[in-house]
Every structure is written in structure tokens, then in C-alpha cells.
């Protein structure tokens, strides 16, 4: 599973970091960044929860077709 953050859509609310601090940080601009775009198997559930918790839908799964 690959995940990314659309910086243009992110409002820096921190919901993603709250549910998956192993995967997300808030950068110097106050926006979310993924720490590793390839999500380890043991963190997939947290990644999905972060995607679902984002109020602006800025976090998305990268499809295998786009690699």
C-alpha cells in the first residue's frame, strides 16, 4: 500500500497524525507529510483510518497503476 498527501488540499489539522503518528508529521509549513509513502503491512489499518479521518480528503492511496 502506498499513501500520499495532497499538500494543496491539506489544512494541517493534524487528524492524520493523531491516528497514525508513525506515518504522518506536520512539516514546517504546518501541513501533513507522510514519513514513508510505502506503508508497512502492520500499519495499513492506521493508514486507512488516517485517509478516512482527513476532513479535506487530502490523504489518498496511490494506485498500483500509477507507479
Amino acid at each position: 500500500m502506498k499513501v500520499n498527501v495532497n499538500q494543496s488540499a491539506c489544512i494541517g489539522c493534524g487528524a492524520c497524525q493523531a491516528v497514525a503518528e508513525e506515518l504522518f508529521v506536520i512539516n514546517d509549513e504546518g501541513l501533513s507529510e507522510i514519513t514513508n509513502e510505502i506503508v508497512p503491512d502492520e500499519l495499513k489499518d492506521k493508514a486507512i483510518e488516517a485517509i478516512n479521518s482527513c476532513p479535506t480528503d487530502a490523504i489518498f492511496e496511490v494506485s498500483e497503476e500509477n507507479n
Side-chain angles (χ1 to χ4, degrees), residues 7-65:
Q7 296 285 301
S8 298
C10 180
I11 59 171
C13 72
C16 58
Q17 188 178 31
V19 299
E21 65 184 12
E22 305 91 338
L23 297 172
F24 298 92
V25 296
I26 302 300
N27 66 20
D28 292 339
E29 289 82 36
L31 303 174
S32 177
E33 283 186 0
I34 186 123
T35 57
N36 186 356
E37 117 178 337
I38 299 173
V39 177
D41 287 340
E42 65 272 11
L43 296 177
K44 283 184 180 180
D45 288 342
K46 284 190 172 191
I48 292 167
E49 186 177 353
I51 290 168
N52 293 332
S53 71
C54 182
T56 61
D57 296 324
I59 304 167
F60 59 96
E61 184 174 355
V62 178
S63 71
E64 294 297 321
E65 297 170 359

